Amino acid sequence: MNLLTRKLENFAPLGNDDKSFLDELVRKNRMFERGKDIILEGDAPDNVHLILDGFACRYKLTSNGERHIMAYLVPGDFRDLHIAILKEMDHSVGTLSPCQVVDIPSSIIENLTERPGLMRALWWATLVDEAILREWLVNIAQREAPQRLAHLFCELLLRLNAVELTTMEGFELPITQSELADTPGLSAVHVNRSLQMLRADGLIELKDRNLLILDPHRLMEFSGFNPNYLHLFDRAGRH
Amino acid sequence: MNLLTRKLENFAPLGNDDKSFLDELVRKNRMFERGKDIILEGDAPDNVHLILDGFACRYKLTSNGERHIMAYLVPGDFRDLHIAILKEMDHSVGTLSPCQVVDIPSSIIENLTERPGLMRALWWATLVDEAILREWLVNIAQREAPQRLAHLFCELLLRLNAVELTTMEGFELPITQSELADTPGLSAVHVNRSLQMLRADGLIELKDRNLLILDPHRLMEFSGFNPNYLHLFDRAGRH
DNA sequence: CGTACTATTGATAGATATCAACGCTGGTGG
DNA sequence: CCACCAGCGTTGATATCTATCAATAGTACG
């Protein structure tokens, strides 16, 4: 089963017909190196992009030369369904690690009316993306640095778990501390210190781009994490 | 012309047929007092809500009892098209001032396929909402308190101008400083001081719930405001 | 082997929160 | 009519968090 199917089935099971449609869709993809831009602010949106492998991000550069990351795109995530409606991008999208990306002509998305189940699933993904943005806003505004990072880790754990990219202990987090810092609006130095705090508390280990979550339950409690905004299907009974 | 039409025509002109459809849609509305909830986190989404008059907001309550406002809903704004897909709300929506609200059954939204122009306009509105969220994220993360407020004011100026709710000098901002503080993640005290700074610099006046923007150009420059994310139709030639 | 990037540590400065108090205003009830 | 009260805006003093600056060490890589 391909990654997109895996993700979308967190909303609702898809028919075999839709699944093979997605399999076909995902066939043609291309690689981006780490640190490359997929599209730049100001560009006219072209295709819809789907991340199949690797971490990408939405970001903006501010007037003072800082970069701010506004979203992580992990495998299974889209870069804006329906973006073709807008004349130009208001942000850039770039890779944080080597990425495998599928270009989907927007016409394909627009002609999905005869696949209502799939369309609903894509809608779900869009709504969740927006919910994540809202949660990030709260995260930055209300929590202190160690909690912010912990909250982000909890989210990534669930999102990556939804596409089965986690192990028992954690997941690969292929980004630098400095990139991590651009996400919740912290300085790289402060991120470093906050990580040490989390390590000292026995909550996580982070080494060689690998994040081990030692005690998920305690990490969620520590950061005030409530997974409701991810709107994940309860997969308790899944096999 | 009704307010929704006014707003959507910032994307593209609508046909007369679509306009009268919207007129009809907007007919049945109800009033909410200030400080009432339209829907609560955890509720099952029912209708789509459209604000016709007044200020409402999306908000969440955090574990420490703080409220964080994640979006302002001003006249012409929707509360989540397609929200019916999700089982429960991940945030609440409440009024900041007395509000006139239209309930739109989600079935009406889902059956818009025969009005492609209108559908595209609604898509545009949704994409702009998401872009605003991203910009707020950058705003909180990267700017200092006075700039954050200034940026917010610039945005509201353009958004309210798009529905012709601004005067030459400014607009009505029917919220308290404490509510204002819950928006960019500041304390009420610090908001108060930041406002005084903006006043002292001759950038704004704020009295009796009325915000005067004394020098829009300088305010935008001061806050590093770039309107591109609002994706407003260039109305220079409008009559 | 040098170079660039990344992670780390210490010291200091700056921004913002918190706590506490006070005045103003509008509404309410005696 | 007046006293009282609650909500809002304001001010001052202090504490806390986070950024910034600077330096060092480890690491990957050509």
Side-chain angles (χ1 to χ4, degrees), chain B residues 34 176-178 189 192-193 196 199 209:
Chain B
R34 181 198 125 100
T176 67
Q177 288 187 7
S178 164
V189 171
N192 183 285
R193 290 185 170 125
Q196 291 177 47
R199 280 190 273 240
R209 306 286 148 88

Side-chain angles (χ1 to χ4, degrees), chain A residues 102-235:
Chain A
V102 182
D103 296 309
I104 306 175
S106 18
S107 57
I108 290 192
I109 302 293
E110 281 159 21
N111 294 326
L112 277 184
T113 39
E114 71 279 10
R115 297 187 180 275
L118 187 53
M119 217 161 80
R120 283 174 64 84
L122 293 177
W123 261 114
W124 164 77
T126 302
L127 289 169
V128 169
D129 282 349
E130 208 175 313
I132 290 173
L133 269 174
R134 282 192 293 265
E135 188 62 32
W136 280 30
L137 206 57
V138 176
N139 196 31
I140 291 192
Q142 307 255 342
R143 282 185 264 267
E144 296 182 354
Q147 282 85 351
R148 275 187 225 176
L149 292 172
H151 190 280
L152 177 61
F153 294 155
C154 290
E155 178 187 305
L156 286 174
L157 181 66
L158 290 196
R159 284 171 64 188
L160 291 171
N161 185 54
V163 284
E164 298 171 30
L165 288 177
T166 52
T167 65
M168 223 40 154
E169 305 88 22
F171 52 88
E172 194 191 346
L173 186 66
I175 67 180
T176 67
Q177 288 187 9
S178 165
E179 287 161 343
L180 199 52
D182 287 339
T183 308
L186 295 167
S187 70
V189 171
H190 205 60
V191 162
N192 183 285
R193 290 187 169 124
S194 301
L195 287 173
Q196 289 178 50
M197 224 172 288
L198 295 175
R199 280 191 271 241
D201 280 357
L203 291 167
I204 64 159
E205 274 179 33
L206 177 56
K207 227 178 101 175
D208 300 331
R209 305 286 149 89
N210 240 296
L211 181 70
L212 301 187
I213 299 201
L214 302 177
D215 189 339
H217 186 267
R218 208 150 60 81
L219 194 67
M220 292 187 189
E221 187 156 327
F222 173 74
S223 61
F225 182 81
N226 177 344
N228 68 343
Y229 69 99
L230 294 174
H231 297 280
L232 289 170
F233 184 50
D234 178 12
R235 299 154 104 205

Side-chain angles (χ1 to χ4, degrees), chain B:
Chain B
M1 195 192 301
N2 78 66
L3 243 151
L4 178 54
T5 309
R6 231 186 259 170
K7 166 162 168 170
L8 293 181
E9 291 216 311
N10 279 281
F11 168 59
L14 292 173
N16 284 329
D17 185 43
D18 286 341
K19 284 190 202 180
S20 46
F21 175 80
L22 291 181
D23 284 342
E24 192 57 40
L25 197 66
V26 150
R27 182 147 321 177
K28 251 198 347 240
N29 55 60
R30 56 182 167 141
M31 286 298 297
F32 281 85
E33 292 172 48
R34 181 198 125 100
K36 298 294 173 201
D37 287 308
I38 297 177
I39 194 166
L40 285 173
E41 181 170 353
D43 285 356
D46 42 4
N47 297 316
V48 173
H49 293 115
L50 166 67
I51 308 295
L52 271 193
D53 187 49
F55 271 51
C57 68
R58 302 177 194 278
Y59 71 92
K60 284 193 187 188
L61 299 176
T62 54
S63 43
N64 51 16
E66 305 278 327
R67 173 184 59 178
H68 188 79
I69 293 177
M70 300 165 302
Y72 287 149
L73 301 178
V74 303
D77 285 349
F78 278 101
R79 203 218 71 212
D80 282 337
L81 244 48
H82 291 88
I83 189 70
I85 284 180
L86 301 180
K87 292 200 190 65
E88 62 174 61
M89 291 291 294
D90 54 48
H91 63 280
S92 306
V93 178
T95 60
L96 294 167
S97 73
C99 278
Q100 197 180 351
V101 178
V102 182
D103 297 309
I104 306 176
S106 20
S107 56
I108 290 193
I109 302 292
E110 281 159 22
N111 294 326
L112 276 184
T113 37
E114 73 278 10
R115 296 186 180 276
L118 187 53
M119 217 161 81
R120 281 174 65 85
L122 292 177
W123 260 115
W124 165 77
T126 303
L127 289 169
V128 170
D129 283 350
E130 208 175 313
I132 290 174
L133 268 173
R134 282 191 293 263
E135 188 62 33
W136 280 31
L137 207 57
V138 176
N139 196 32
I140 291 193
Q142 306 257 343
R143 281 185 264 268
E144 297 185 352
Q147 281 85 348
R148 274 186 227 177
L149 292 172
H151 191 280
L152 177 60
F153 294 155
C154 290
E155 177 186 305
L156 286 174
L157 181 67
L158 290 195
R159 284 171 64 187
L160 291 171
N161 185 54
V163 286
E164 298 170 32
L165 287 177
T166 52
T167 66
M168 223 40 156
E169 304 87 24
F171 52 87
E172 194 192 344
L173 186 66
I175 66 179
T176 67
Q177 288 187 7
S178 164
E179 286 161 345
L180 199 51
D182 287 339
T183 307
L186 295 169
S187 70
V189 171
H190 205 59
V191 162
N192 183 285
R193 290 185 170 125
S194 302
L195 287 174
Q196 291 177 47
M197 225 172 287
L198 295 176
R199 280 190 273 240
D201 281 355
L203 291 167
I204 64 159
E205 275 179 32
L206 177 56
K207 226 177 102 176
D208 298 334
R209 306 286 148 88
N210 240 294
L211 181 70
L212 301 187
I213 298 201
L214 303 177
D215 189 338
H217 185 266
R218 207 150 59 82
L219 194 68
M220 291 186 190
E221 186 156 327
F222 173 75
S223 61
F225 182 81
N226 177 343
N228 67 344
Y229 69 100
L230 294 174
H231 298 280
L232 289 169
F233 184 48
D234 179 11
R235 300 155 103 206
R238 201 179 56 133
H239 43 266

